Amino acid sequence: MSDIPAEHKDEIPRPSSQLAGLNRLNDLDQLNQVVGLVSPVFGFLPNVR
């Protein structure tokens, strides 16, 4: 990040925040998988993408 002008450094997401976003996306994917598995049991319709 040293090559980025100081006035623009705050606009670039930090790697830690990018990884946190990926972790949340992974959590949502796991939730979607679980819902897909249990939805027939409860009579829910599958999520249409």
Side-chain angles (χ1 to χ4, degrees):
M1 291 195 37
S2 60
D3 295 342
I4 300 170
E7 63 269 14
H8 296 292
K9 282 188 179 183
D10 290 340
E11 298 171 13
I12 307 297
R14 306 282 307 168
S16 58
S17 66
Q18 291 176 347
L19 289 174
L22 286 174
N23 285 336
R24 285 191 295 273
L25 184 61
N26 187 38
D27 291 345
L28 286 174
D29 185 49
Q30 288 178 359
L31 177 62
N32 192 30
Q33 290 176 12
V34 169
V35 169
L37 290 172
V38 300
S39 62
V41 174
F42 295 105
F44 299 137
L45 295 174
N47 186 9
V48 177
R49 292 186 192 187

